[in-house]
């Protein structure tokens, strides 16, 4: 049975004290109410990572980063390596988020290199894909997602691929308040699972967790998660409010 997961993507929000307080509130909640077979991941800014391993103690709860560099170490001023992230006790890293692709010019090829480096260091990769509105309106959304996965992720061996989680995030739904309809989410998730089956076989496809992201909140999470191929969510804005985030986990 594939894992059901809710991951929070804090983006560039929360200073050190605010972030530790939020992480502590989430951890205390799950220390008392275990997430019941589901996994909860909080992906914070780098500045929090070093202090989270002491703070996150509830079972089923873990933490991760939102980016890593594709090189091992060296003269890359301002960058953070996968090994550094791993050394904090983090378990995961988000790669290929549309904000990184658009604002920082991250290409499919760079993302393939980052993914390989993250996996080499024992991090689980939450790999994002998704189309912009014009691509959907031009009926090119399946083609775009196929390209992102084939070039960025399907370069992996089966052994490495099974350590990845996929997040489908239609760019037009991110931070806009416009959510994909449950039918639109299911349609794309089923398509992604078919692509995985074509590349890695049916067993791997059935075991791959595919998250939905894009204006997912407590009030719409249940209908999105009710779809057979939607295995949880990658949550941006709503992951910054403890109650809201925990209610999304409960909806799963
Ligand atoms: P949102 O962001 O939930 O604020 O739309 C999701 C994401 O970008 O991961």
């Amino acid at each position: 049975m594939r894992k059901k997961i809710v991951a929070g993507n804090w983006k560039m929000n929360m200073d050190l004290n605010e972030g530790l307080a939020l992480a502590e509130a989430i951890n205390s909640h799950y220390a008392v109410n275990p997430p019941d077979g589901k996994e909860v991941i909080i992906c914070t800014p780098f500045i929090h990572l070093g202090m989270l391993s002491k703070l996150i103690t509830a079972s089923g709860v873990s933490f991760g980063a939102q980016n890593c560099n594709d090189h091992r170490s060296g003269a890359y001023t301002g960058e953070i390596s996968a090994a550094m992230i791993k050394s904090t006790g983090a378990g995961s890293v988000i790669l290929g988020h549309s904000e990184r692709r658009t604002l920082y010019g991250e290409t499919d090829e760079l993302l393939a290199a980052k993914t390989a480096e993250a996996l080499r260091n024992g991090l689980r990769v939450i790999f994002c894909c998704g189309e912009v509105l014009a691509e959907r309106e031009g009926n090119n959304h399946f083609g775009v997602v196929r390209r992102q996965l084939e070039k960025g992720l399907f370069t992996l061996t089966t052994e490495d691929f099974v350590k990845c989680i996929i997040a489908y995030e239609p760019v037009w739904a991110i931070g806009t308040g416009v959510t994909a309809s449950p039918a639109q989410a299911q349609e794309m998730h089923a398509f992604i699972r078919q692509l995985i089956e074509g590349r890695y076989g049916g067993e791997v496809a059935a075991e791959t967790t595919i998250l939905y992201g894009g204006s997912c909140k407590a009030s719409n999470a249940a209908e999105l998660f009710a779809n057979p191929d939607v295995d949880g969510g990658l949550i941006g804005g709503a992951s910054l409010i403890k109650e809201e985030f925990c209610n999304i986990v409960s909806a799963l």
Side-chain angles (χ1 to χ4, degrees):
M1 269 294 283
R2 55 183 177 259
K3 294 199 175 100
K4 301 267 185 195
I5 298 172
V6 174
N9 173 12
W10 290 7
K11 308 193 181 186
M12 196 173 76
N13 293 297
M14 299 279 152
D15 70 15
L16 184 59
N17 292 328
E18 290 165 344
L20 295 179
L22 176 58
E24 182 155 29
I26 292 169
N27 184 69
S28 310
H29 177 88
Y30 290 111
V32 180
N33 318 282
D36 229 3
K38 296 173 276 193
E39 267 188 65
V40 177
I41 307 174
I42 53 172
C43 295
T44 73
F46 291 129
I47 60 155
H48 302 97
L49 294 179
M51 297 180 75
L52 287 181
S53 69
K54 288 205 179 68
L55 211 149
I56 302 289
T57 52
S59 85
V61 183
S62 66
F63 62 96
Q66 303 166 18
N67 181 30
C68 71
N69 192 268
D70 55 316
H71 294 96
R72 292 188 182 197
S73 65
Y76 301 100
T77 300
E79 288 296 297
I80 303 282
S81 72
M84 291 171 184
I85 294 169
K86 181 69 181 174
S87 75
T88 67
S92 321
V93 61
I94 297 172
L95 291 174
H97 192 280
S98 67
E99 286 149 20
R100 304 264 355 142
R101 292 177 188 265
T102 320
L103 302 173
Y104 302 100
E106 296 195 358
T107 61
D108 295 320
E109 291 72 20
L110 176 66
L111 291 169
K114 288 189 174 198
T115 299
E117 182 59 15
L119 291 167
R120 203 180 63 77
N121 284 282
L123 291 169
R124 199 155 54 146
V125 172
I126 303 173
F127 189 90
C128 303
C129 58
E131 80 286 356
V132 301
L133 188 58
E135 290 162 343
R136 178 165 282 267
E137 286 176 347
N139 203 28
N140 199 20
H141 44 305
F142 293 116
V144 168
V145 168
R146 175 198 290 269
R147 189 211 73 224
Q148 290 172 339
L149 291 176
E150 286 182 347
K151 294 200 166 169
L153 198 58
F154 290 177
T155 49
L156 296 174
T157 61
T158 303
E159 193 192 352
D160 276 341
F161 178 79
V162 298
K163 296 169 196 149
C164 298
I165 298 160
I166 293 175
Y168 169 58
E169 298 203 306
V171 181
W172 46 272
I174 296 177
T176 58
V178 180
T179 315
S181 70
Q184 285 172 322
Q186 169 57 26
E187 184 184 36
M188 184 60 86
H189 283 228
F191 174 74
I192 292 170
R193 208 175 296 286
Q194 254 174 37
L195 293 177
I196 300 168
E197 183 170 353
R199 171 65 179 87
Y200 295 103
E203 208 170 307
V204 172
E207 288 296 312
T208 304
T209 297
I210 308 177
L211 309 179
Y212 169 80
S215 298
C216 182
K217 42 189 187 268
S219 58
N220 60 25
E223 58 176 16
L224 287 161
F225 298 162
N227 290 290
D229 287 297
V230 179
D231 307 312
L234 179 56
I235 316 299
S239 73
L240 299 172
I241 305 155
K242 181 220 144 197
E243 284 301 317
E244 183 76 10
F245 184 62
C246 294
N247 286 340
I248 293 171
V249 177
S250 302
L252 181 60

